[in-house]
Amino acid sequence: SFVDLNSSAAPDEKGLACPYTQTMPYMAQTAFSGVCFLTPVIRMTTGGKNLRQELLRVLKPYGITSTEATAAIKAAEKAQDVFIDSIKKKGREVLAGIKERAFVIVGRAYNSFDRGMNLDIPKKIADLGTIAIPMDFLPLEDVAIGKTWPNMYWRAGQRILSAARIIASDPVLEAIYIGNFSCGPDSFIMKFFEEEMTGKSFLHLELDAHSADAGAITRCEAFLDSVRGRTNGSRSHQGRQKKRSAYDDKAVSRSAKRTIFIPRMSDHAFALAAAFSYCGVDAEVLPESSKQSVDLAKRFVSGKECYPCAVTTGDMLRKIMAPGFDPDRSAFFMPSGSGPCRFGQYNIFQRMVIRDLGIDNLPIFSPNQDENFYKYLGLIGKQYAMRAWEGVVAVSLLEKCLHQTRPYEMEPGATDRVYAKYLAVVSDALRSRQGVISTHLTRALQDFSAIPVSREQRPLIGIVGEIFVRSNRFSNEDLVRKIEALGGEACLTPVDEWINYINLMGIRHVLIKKDLSGMITLLFKRFFQKRIEKRQGKLFSGFLRSLHEPDTRALLRNASPYVHPSFEGETILSIGKSIDLAQKGASGIISVLPFGCMPGTIVNALMRGVRNEYDIPHLSIPYDGTQSLTTEIQLEAFIDQAGQYKAVASQASRIMKKRR
């Protein structure tokens, strides 16, 4: 038997803020009654054939044949087409007949068109004597926003921005944007929506489980009063659009004569800058982030964006406002992404900030981290990707030596001095065509090995989570040093992990697309990257306890009981790495995340299962730039708990050895 959660069988939960809270009470209520929830996850963009295959796989245990499933899918597709056509037809009729102001309800379907979720706003507007129509009535398919918003990978975002453009150009239409509290994508889409609505006001209702009807009605009444006095124009009126800043990635080619400024997410930025220089492009690493740079960013951010967005934007602003900065001879480096994480929207927002400063010729180089990643990097030079990778691996090895040695050093500061020396030496070698990285790494190993250390036993604390916050010392309030000061040894997940993951996902995507050329390119890059990784790592064999990082496929297997491999992004890596750390003897795991991070929130929920299965202490720390005394207390208690965990584990190990 199948139950429709959207049917009248589900309880009427008024005022709930999101689909999760809307459906979960009913699921929890019925689960104890013997109901099984069948929730296949299907990537619709892979086409109808894959859709059929996935549904057949899921429904096979229920005795549904291929013929039955295919017939049902065809019937469903036909019904959906009829439904959409009827909406468009009705929309044309309604729009043609509108003579007075009308409110367009804008937002995601599950927020804006559900009577429980939207507090029945359309009816309330009708009761005020004004017509309300859904944005689905608008000819959204006739509006192309790709050139203006080139990387809007959220389908709902595309539709919302298309609706904004139509509403902004029509004097009789007004927008009511219905969202929910702490919606991650909305933190950027709202800025883009406001850009599209330039010159025209709109009402934004951010609803949650505590929203009240009275408050919503009051805001609708106030908005209606504010627009009544506006003079109607003709339907041919076009909304005022701001000029956008430069998007041309070719502006960073060797002939462009610009200096590339790279935000210092971690010391790996020096490897990237050196690889730029190796290919003939001037590059500099921006100074470490500071409160001053974040304060600059606060003039432009709403506070709802990812914390790393505020940090990197502030670093850019600090450089722009520095004496002598020449935008005509400069560019910033800010990679992009393809979602679902918000990271891919950073560079779009930062271009808007640069534009608002009155700067027209300051590009941002944004290679997209997908199967075309190396194609973008090839704009710099054919050897850039391999040279940068060589540097990234080298810096990760130096960083591991630092974190393994510093907690036990007898002479305070000795390890930092060795690390700083060889970070500079390796960076210089990467810039030079005569530089041999392995020679410098061998000397670095000798100097790290010569540092006098104690034989103190410390609990090993693994750090996983969002790559920027876990790697950026300013953003995580120097978490590694705090762990060391409290008596622990930190094992920081390396930056390399993400690049290896991008490679694997790129291979998966070109396989789906049957792109032979792309497959050859990615396999070629992966082969040489693995060879570089193995060659450099071999130098530290016998010294680094955390030398051997798990292969990406191993991480996906680790996480598979909790996250399906099709769920791409840092969530699956954090879970997989946490399990790897637990299996290798870590005494505790800290997952760090920007406050409100979508993947990080999922990790926190899933880590409960990991913690219970492996019986290992776990602490989640969200960062937003506001230091909290509570976090300090939690961290101190956690390190103490990890120490006790290590003591118990060591005692159990000794007992097992005696029994053998």
Side-chain angles (χ1 to χ4, degrees), residues 35-72:
V35 174
C36 173
F37 292 97
L38 179 65
T39 55
V41 178
I42 300 168
R43 187 182 294 275
M44 304 296 289
T45 55
T46 58
K49 183 179 179 181
N50 288 324
L51 168 63
R52 288 175 174 81
Q53 289 176 346
E54 183 63 16
L55 285 175
L56 285 172
R57 183 188 67 79
V58 173
L59 297 172
K60 186 176 180 179
Y62 299 90
I64 296 174
T65 66
S66 175
T67 302
E68 291 173 325
T70 300

Side-chain angles (χ1 to χ4, degrees), residues 369-429:
Q369 298 176 90
D370 57 13
E371 61 269 25
N372 295 312
F373 187 48
Y374 296 107
K375 178 181 178 181
Y376 284 106
L377 294 180
L379 293 171
I380 305 164
K382 292 182 179 180
Q383 295 177 303
Y384 178 81
M386 285 297 113
R387 198 63 173 175
W389 175 249
E390 194 173 3
V392 166
V393 174
V395 173
S396 288
L397 289 167
L398 293 176
E399 200 172 61
K400 286 185 176 185
C401 291
L402 171 70
H403 295 158
Q404 178 178 298
T405 307
R406 188 170 60 193
Y408 307 97
E409 64 184 8
M410 303 294 288
E411 179 189 347
T415 313
D416 283 326
R417 288 193 293 272
V418 172
Y419 173 77
K421 172 185 174 181
Y422 285 99
L423 178 62
V425 167
V426 166
S427 297
D428 289 341

Side-chain angles (χ1 to χ4, degrees), residues 212-492:
D213 284 16
I217 294 172
T218 300
R219 294 190 63 190
C220 288
E221 289 175 337
F223 180 59
L224 180 58
D225 289 341
S226 71
V227 301
R228 274 176 176 158
R230 191 186 301 154
T231 302
N232 282 355
S234 66
R235 281 187 179 257
S236 63
H237 168 75
Q238 297 295 319
R240 179 170 56 89
Q241 294 295 315
K242 295 181 179 179
K243 182 180 178 182
R244 308 302 302 276
S245 58
Y247 279 78
D248 186 10
D249 285 333
K250 293 181 181 179
V252 300
S253 64
R254 283 172 287 181
S255 61
K257 302 302 181 183
R258 291 178 180 268
T259 299
I260 308 298
F261 293 100
I262 305 172
R264 191 172 176 176
M265 180 183 81
S266 66
D267 290 340
H268 297 79
F270 290 101
L272 302 184
F276 272 111
S277 298
Y278 180 82
C279 293
V281 179
D282 292 336
E284 293 181 19
V285 177
L286 292 174
E288 286 205 71
S289 308
S290 66
K291 184 178 182 300
Q292 176 193 8
S293 59
V294 174
D295 287 344
L296 284 173
K298 287 180 179 178
R299 302 178 189 177
F300 299 89
V301 301
S302 66
K304 297 178 181 180
E305 304 86 356
C306 316
Y307 183 44
C309 179
V311 173
T312 53
T313 301
D315 291 343
M316 291 179 181
L317 289 170
R318 184 171 54 172
K319 183 63 182 178
I320 290 171
M321 296 178 182
F325 178 77
D326 184 358
D328 294 329
R329 300 184 63 83
S330 305
F332 288 110
F333 180 72
M334 175 53 63
S336 187
S338 301
C341 173
R342 291 176 282 178
F343 174 64
Q345 304 303 319
Y346 288 14
N347 71 90
I348 308 296
F349 165 70
Q350 288 161 347
R351 286 181 168 104
M352 291 172 60
V353 171
I354 291 171
R355 185 276 320 279
D356 289 343
L357 291 173
I359 301 174
D360 296 328
N361 189 29
L362 178 54
I364 298 179
F365 180 46
S366 303
N368 206 27
Q369 298 176 90
D370 57 13
E371 61 269 25
N372 295 312
F373 187 48
Y374 296 107
K375 178 181 178 181
Y376 284 106
L377 294 180
L379 293 171
I380 305 164
K382 292 182 179 180
Q383 295 177 303
Y384 178 81
M386 285 297 113
R387 198 63 173 175
W389 175 249
E390 194 173 3
V392 166
V393 174
V395 173
S396 288
L397 289 167
L398 293 176
E399 200 172 61
K400 286 185 176 185
C401 291
L402 171 70
H403 295 158
Q404 178 178 298
T405 307
R406 188 170 60 193
Y408 307 97
E409 64 184 8
M410 303 294 288
E411 179 189 347
T415 313
D416 283 326
R417 288 193 293 272
V418 172
Y419 173 77
K421 172 185 174 181
Y422 285 99
L423 178 62
V425 167
V426 166
S427 297
D428 289 341
L430 286 167
R431 292 187 186 91
S432 170
R433 294 190 176 273
Q434 286 75 42
V436 181
I437 306 301
S438 58
T439 301
H440 301 299
L441 290 179
T442 300
R443 292 172 182 166
L445 173 62
Q446 294 170 352
D447 286 0
F448 276 115
S449 300
I451 297 174
V453 294
S454 67
R455 295 186 177 181
E456 178 187 4
Q457 295 294 312
R458 289 181 172 227
L460 182 66
I461 308 299
I463 302 176
V464 302
E466 194 274 329
I467 187 172
F468 186 94
V469 170
R470 77 169 187 249
S471 305
N472 185 260
R473 290 185 286 265
F474 170 79
S475 297
N476 64 38
E477 301 171 11
D478 217 344
L479 177 62
V480 170
R481 284 189 183 273
K482 286 184 177 180
I483 290 172
E484 294 171 355
L486 291 170
E489 175 189 340
C491 180
L492 179 64

Side-chain angles (χ1 to χ4, degrees), residues 588-605:
I589 298 170
I590 298 177
S591 56
V592 300
L593 68 152
F595 180 77
C597 173
M598 298 186 294
T601 301
I602 298 171
V603 169
N604 285 346

